[in-house]
Amino acid sequence: MHPNERQWEQFYEKVKGKTGLDLFQYKPDQLRRRILGMLEQKNAANLDEFWATLSKTPDGATWFLDKLAINVSELYRNPEKWVEMQEAILPKLIRPGRGLKAWSAGCSIGAEAHTLASILESSFPGRHQIVGSDIDQEALNQAKSGLYSDADMKCVPNEIKAKYFLQEGAKWKAKSEITRHLQFKTGDLLSDRFDTGFDLIMCRNVVIYFTDEAKDRLYRRFFDSLRPGGVLFVGSTERIFNSKDIGFETNIPFFYTKPAEGDQQWRSAS
Ligand SMILES: C[S@@+](CC[C@H](N)C(=O)[O-])C[C@H]1O[C@@H](n2cnc3c(N)ncnc32)[C@H](O)[C@@H]1O
């Protein structure tokens, strides 16, 4: 079936009314392919019938959001970037006597948050707080459990695995030394108000699904949520082409720094 534009719009409105998620801000091609796949799965003949099926059960909307989310992730994803994080970014970000305040935005199963926690605990021990947020409840449940498969763990350095994870049957469970820094919660990047004062925001492999306008708005909101000197870490295919317009500086690809107050004064005086 091929819904027309009006039918898609009506469906998006219903989703927004029920879940708050604004599908107008996602790129249509991939989004619609996924939704049509779900229609087939539910044997629904059209979007109206699909919506009626979802509305029949209390967890229909949650099922829809979980299915919609592509939450492929793994610990130490793009390992070379985590080496840069450890050697070049964190030593500058961590301030004496203060814990790091970090956010994994679109955290999925919590792999990125656990990766950062393990690096901090092994190399920069302190009272760090890392919050992970996502729209996908099932992925968040896994993040909270701290349980990972061999495949999720394949890039984790051996010494980190041995020190901070315990084998439980076929899974690896994160130890409290790293989970004590972590907190996971439901959050929609397109509509929530953001906390402020972050030293580090990680948003990787999330905006690929968003329209260009939604992406631009989000990066500007991340800029506002960082403290001066804070860093935004994005995915390895997600270079921010208008980063200078937003106000970011970048020396290492995919890490964007909000200039510290002194730097801004220097720039505006020159
Ligand atoms: C591919 S995963 C990325 C996980 C992790 N950041 C990484 O790079 O390994 C993308 C995640 O973005 C989440 N997501 C999509 N739209 C979102 C939104 N509007 N607000 C919050 N999270 C969203 C999905 O639920 C999914 O878990």
Side-chain angles (χ1 to χ4, degrees):
M1 69 142 324
H2 296 287
N4 62 33
E5 207 49 43
R6 182 74 203 118
Q7 289 164 326
W8 279 117
E9 280 172 18
Q10 284 170 344
F11 181 76
Y12 287 7
E13 294 293 353
K14 287 180 194 158
V15 172
K16 196 167 176 191
K18 175 101 178 174
T19 69
L21 186 66
D22 183 0
L23 296 179
F24 289 102
Q25 299 197 55
Y26 286 75
K27 285 184 193 151
D29 289 359
Q30 191 186 24
L31 173 74
R32 292 177 181 186
R33 251 197 325 274
R34 287 184 79 76
I35 297 175
L36 291 178
M38 289 189 235
L39 249 75
E40 261 182 48
Q41 227 180 313
K42 294 278 183 195
N43 287 319
N46 53 45
L47 288 170
D48 282 342
E49 210 176 298
F50 178 54
W51 184 253
T53 313
L54 289 184
S55 306
K56 263 188 228 151
T57 54
D59 59 354
T62 315
W63 178 88
F64 174 73
L65 289 187
D66 289 356
K67 276 271 168 201
L68 196 66
I70 298 171
N71 36 42
V72 179
S73 192
E74 62 185 18
L75 285 90
Y76 285 78
R77 186 175 194 174
N78 308 114
E80 69 290 351
K81 299 311 291 177
W82 290 103
V83 172
E84 289 170 353
M85 173 71 87
Q86 174 162 358
E87 294 180 355
I89 303 294
L90 291 175
K92 286 195 191 147
L93 265 188
I94 294 172
R95 296 177 287 183
R98 293 168 82 156
L100 192 83
K101 179 174 171 181
W103 177 19
S104 171
C107 66
S108 180
I109 58 173
E112 198 169 73
H114 279 82
T115 303
L116 179 67
S118 69
I119 293 173
L120 288 170
E121 187 61 24
S122 65
S123 303
F124 309 92
R127 291 165 65 87
H128 308 297
Q129 297 169 39
I130 306 163
V131 64
S133 66
D134 204 287
I135 48 166
D136 181 341
Q137 211 46 56
E138 213 175 295
L140 283 171
N141 289 343
Q142 183 180 346
K144 287 176 194 165
S145 76
L147 278 170
Y148 294 104
S149 66
D150 277 331
D152 298 332
M153 298 283 290
K154 70 176 191 300
C155 295
V156 179
N158 285 336
E159 66 281 9
I160 293 282
K161 203 167 166 179
K163 215 165 162 189
Y164 300 119
F165 291 85
L166 274 176
Q167 193 143 27
E168 273 192 10
K171 301 268 183 181
W172 293 89
K173 186 166 175 60
K175 290 189 189 172
S176 61
E177 284 99 313
I178 59 173
T179 58
R180 71 195 169 100
H181 301 295
L182 303 175
Q183 192 203 338
F184 293 100
K185 60 177 195 187
T186 310
D188 180 353
L189 294 170
L190 297 172
S191 62
D192 287 355
R193 288 174 73 94
F194 295 170
D195 192 6
T196 52
F198 288 106
D199 299 292
L200 174 67
I201 298 176
M202 305 178 283
C203 186
R204 304 167 70 217
N205 311 299
V206 178
V207 300
I208 35 171
Y209 312 114
F210 295 172
T211 61
D212 288 344
E213 298 76 45
K215 230 185 276 188
D216 183 61
R217 201 171 321 114
L218 183 64
Y219 286 143
R220 290 177 192 276
R221 294 180 68 212
F222 282 154
F223 184 88
D224 292 340
S225 286
L226 287 166
R227 64 146 167 101
V231 170
L232 170 65
F233 178 27
V234 301
S236 295
T237 56
E238 298 171 332
R239 196 178 295 274
I240 308 176
F241 291 103
N242 62 341
S243 62
K244 276 201 185 123
D245 284 354
I246 301 176
F248 284 117
E249 290 176 347
T250 181
N251 296 319
I252 304 177
F254 311 108
F255 291 99
Y256 294 90
T257 305
K258 174 172 179 169
E261 267 141 12
D263 298 350
Q264 277 171 328
Q265 276 160 19
W266 178 83
R267 283 195 315 171
S268 48
S270 63

